[in-house]
Amino acid sequence: MLSIKANISKLLTRYRASDTRSKEVVHNIMLATLMKVVSVVASLLIVPMTISYINPVRYGIWLTLSSIIGWVNFFDLGLGNGFRNRFAEAKAHGDTLLARRLVSTTYFAISSIVVVVLMAALAANAFIDWSKVLKVSAAYRGELSIVFAVVITFTCINMVANVFSSLLSADQKNGWGSCIFAAGQYVSLLVVYILTKTTTGDLVKLAVFYSGVPSIVMLVVSFVMFRCSRYKMYRPSFKYIKLNLIGNIMKLGVQFFVIYLCLIFVFQIVNVVISRQVGPMGVTQYNVANKYFNVIYMAVIIIITPMWSAFTDAYAKKDMAWMKSMVHNMGLIWLLMSCGGLVMLLVSPLFYHIWIGDKVDVPVAVSIAMFVYVVCQSLGNMFMTMINGIGTVRIQLIVYVAFALVSWPLFTCLGQFFGLVGIIAVPSLVYLIQGLLSYIQLKKIISREASGIWLK
């Protein structure tokens, strides 16, 4: 007992002696951890509820179509992430006026893009037969067309609303963003629950409320905080829009855009490939296993997300000692999370039985493949997030472009020979390579030995 008290006292002493940046990181991790636990509960509750509402096959169709529409989020041309770095740099140098101009300009630029994207998507929707694209019954054709129009509209609205989320991240207030996200999830959960009690299974109704509620929550919260909080000084205004800043934001942002465009081919087409190669039930199996093991990845994201803007701040101030200690600590955390994932793998059959009963059967091989995927995903994103904060993303760009070019044949070939397990292996390999390269790059930058492509 005395030993535990001594250790706690030691940790508190170390915390009080830590620098402001580290304290901010700890605050965000603690708040984000609480909110992620809350979000995980909501996520676990909504899966069986939704499957029961629209049945497993239609749930697979819903997930596939939603993932396709999710690609639209990447078409902000990297402005969101470019803004995040530029705002953090302006704040580190105490330039409030520039920071406000960056906020206003980013809102204007992304809103302009969204209008064009939405109009183009709705026009294309009139000519696309989604039942053929997804290889499902033609009876779903009309319903899927309406669902696409609804979800694409709210997705575009969310792109604009999420500028505020990027602002919170840039200001090292990721925990606040997690609170807003959790609120949106629980309102969605409540609405879906009401739907299950008052209506029969309807994809259109699910689309309206499930995709619409988070967008509305983010818009309302951002409006209130821009008027009644410390973010009033950054409130967007037409007079602060400076078109010349778009180029400054996009200088870095366009690299993020190309990276995320490649991510569409490497990762976001997974549900489409599974639907075509294995069938809608395979999509459901994949997503059930992914939601379970994703608890590990979410834990990693909680810890690593504050590091993006913290590394932007540290690199701007040339605080290499702090960066070195964080890289070491993150490596230890990855090893700990991987051990936790192994325990989850061992108990996964029992958990699936308790969670979803006999609605969906998840093979052991799929669980093993998903465990490996999440471990590699955690490694890759852990070190890539730090690199993103520094802004030297050229190596990431090259690797993602190379894999994007060969992703479809790789998915198809491995899917034919190894089924769902083979498909999951492709993104696992990409994350593993990115993680190792990012770690090497970080070590070079921190030791001031980086040059050439390692600094681009």
Side-chain angles (χ1 to χ4, degrees):
M1 187 68 181
L2 290 174
S3 177
I4 294 174
K5 287 183 178 180
N7 287 330
I8 293 174
S9 177
K10 186 177 180 181
L11 287 172
L12 289 173
T13 301
R14 185 178 299 175
Y15 170 74
R16 294 189 190 101
S18 62
D19 57 278
T20 302
R21 188 189 302 117
S22 296
K23 287 180 179 178
E24 196 69 58
V25 169
V26 173
H27 286 160
N28 277 287
I29 290 174
M30 291 172 66
L31 182 56
T33 299
L34 176 61
M35 289 301 102
K36 279 296 181 181
V37 170
V38 171
S39 296
V40 167
V41 173
S43 180
L44 293 177
L45 288 173
I46 206 165
V47 171
M49 191 183 299
T50 309
I51 291 175
S52 297
Y53 181 58
I54 56 175
N55 76 51
V57 173
R58 296 177 84 191
Y59 182 67
I61 295 171
W62 158 255
L63 289 173
T64 305
L65 188 60
S66 296
S67 69
I68 293 173
I69 295 171
W71 300 349
V72 173
N73 287 306
F74 298 120
F75 286 92
D76 68 345
L77 302 182
L79 285 167
N81 286 318
F83 159 73
R84 180 175 177 174
N85 280 43
R86 297 304 181 222
F87 181 91
E89 290 168 0
K91 190 169 180 291
H93 294 122
D95 196 337
T96 303
L97 177 60
L98 175 59
R100 187 169 187 180
R101 286 174 173 173
L102 287 166
V103 172
S104 300
T105 303
T106 302
Y107 266 107
F108 171 76
I110 292 181
S111 296
S112 301
I113 293 170
V114 159
V115 170
V116 175
V117 170
L118 181 59
M119 291 176 64
L122 292 176
N125 185 46
F127 301 97
I128 297 175
D129 183 349
W130 290 107
S131 63
K132 289 184 178 179
V133 173
L134 303 180
K135 287 189 173 181
V136 297
S137 171
Y140 291 109
R141 180 177 180 177
E143 187 178 27
L144 291 179
S145 181
I146 297 172
V147 169
F148 179 88
V150 169
V151 178
I152 192 68
T153 300
F154 281 117
T155 299
C156 286
I157 292 172
N158 206 44
M159 283 176 65
V160 178
N162 274 336
V163 174
F164 185 71
S165 181
S166 295
L167 171 60
L168 291 175
S169 297
D171 195 32
Q172 300 185 53
K173 293 290 184 292
N174 306 83
W176 293 13
S178 297
C179 290
I180 300 170
F181 178 76
Q185 273 196 309
Y186 270 89
V187 176
S188 294
L189 178 64
L190 175 62
V191 171
V192 172
Y193 175 75
I194 293 172
L195 284 178
T196 62
K197 297 300 180 181
T198 59
T199 66
T200 55
D202 189 325
L203 267 177
V204 176
K205 290 177 181 176
L206 180 68
V208 170
F209 293 104
Y210 191 81
S211 60
V213 168
S215 303
I216 295 170
V217 169
M218 180 60 77
L219 283 173
V220 171
V221 171
S222 59
F223 179 81
V224 171
M225 293 190 73
F226 272 133
R227 292 188 173 277
C228 309
S229 74
R230 61 191 290 263
Y231 291 104
K232 189 175 182 178
M233 71 176 74
Y234 304 122
R235 187 172 66 223
S237 171
F238 284 107
K239 70 178 181 180
Y240 289 104
I241 295 173
K242 301 295 178 183
L243 298 181
N244 62 310
L245 286 178
I246 295 177
N248 184 36
I249 297 170
M250 289 190 65
K251 185 178 180 181
L252 174 61
V254 72
Q255 294 188 74
F256 284 120
F257 170 67
V258 176
I259 287 172
Y260 290 137
L261 193 62
C262 292
L263 283 171
I264 291 176
F265 295 98
V266 180
F267 302 107
Q268 296 299 312
I269 61 172
V270 169
N271 281 329
V272 178
V273 173
I274 295 172
S275 182
R276 294 174 66 89
Q277 293 283 333
V278 184
M281 183 57 75
V283 177
T284 301
Q285 290 175 334
Y286 169 83
N287 279 277
V288 167
N290 182 260
K291 279 188 177 293
Y292 173 61
F293 284 100
N294 201 47
V295 172
I296 295 296
Y297 179 61
M298 278 194 283
V300 170
I301 288 299
I302 290 170
I303 297 169
I304 196 63
T305 297
M307 292 296 168
W308 182 316
S309 295
F311 262 69
T312 303
D313 181 79
Y315 190 64
K317 296 175 180 176
K318 304 301 178 186
D319 192 349
M320 300 301 181
W322 183 88
M323 293 166 65
K324 182 178 180 180
S325 68
M326 288 300 107
V327 170
H328 174 72
N329 291 340
M330 291 304 104
L332 295 177
I333 288 172
W334 175 76
L335 288 174
L336 180 63
M337 293 299 180
S338 298
C339 292
L342 186 59
V343 174
M344 289 182 66
L345 176 62
L346 295 174
V347 302
S348 59
L350 176 61
F351 184 85
Y352 293 145
H353 179 72
I354 296 172
W355 181 28
I356 54 176
D358 57 357
K359 293 186 182 75
V360 180
D361 177 44
V362 181
V364 174
V366 172
S367 291
I368 294 173
M370 191 59 67
F371 161 70
V372 173
Y373 168 69
V374 169
V375 167
C376 293
Q377 183 185 34
S378 299
L379 176 71
N381 276 300
M382 184 168 280
F383 294 122
M384 283 189 291
T385 296
M386 300 178 200
I387 290 295
N388 291 344
I390 295 172
T392 53
V393 298
R394 187 67 57 83
I395 294 175
Q396 280 186 55
L397 178 65
I398 293 171
V399 173
Y400 278 133
V401 168
F403 269 96
L405 294 174
V406 299
S407 61
W408 186 267
L410 266 179
F411 275 130
T412 303
C413 181
L414 292 177
Q416 288 177 345
F417 285 99
F418 303 104
L420 191 52
V421 172
I423 294 171
I424 297 172
V426 177
S428 301
L429 179 61
V430 178
Y431 274 126
L432 178 61
I433 292 174
Q434 288 285 31
L436 294 175
L437 287 175
S438 294
Y439 178 75
I440 294 170
Q441 186 177 10
L442 280 167
K443 299 293 282 187
K444 285 180 175 290
I445 290 173
I446 292 170
S447 62
R448 303 180 191 274
E449 297 175 356
S451 62
I453 195 171
W454 298 102
L455 272 178
K456 294 184 178 179

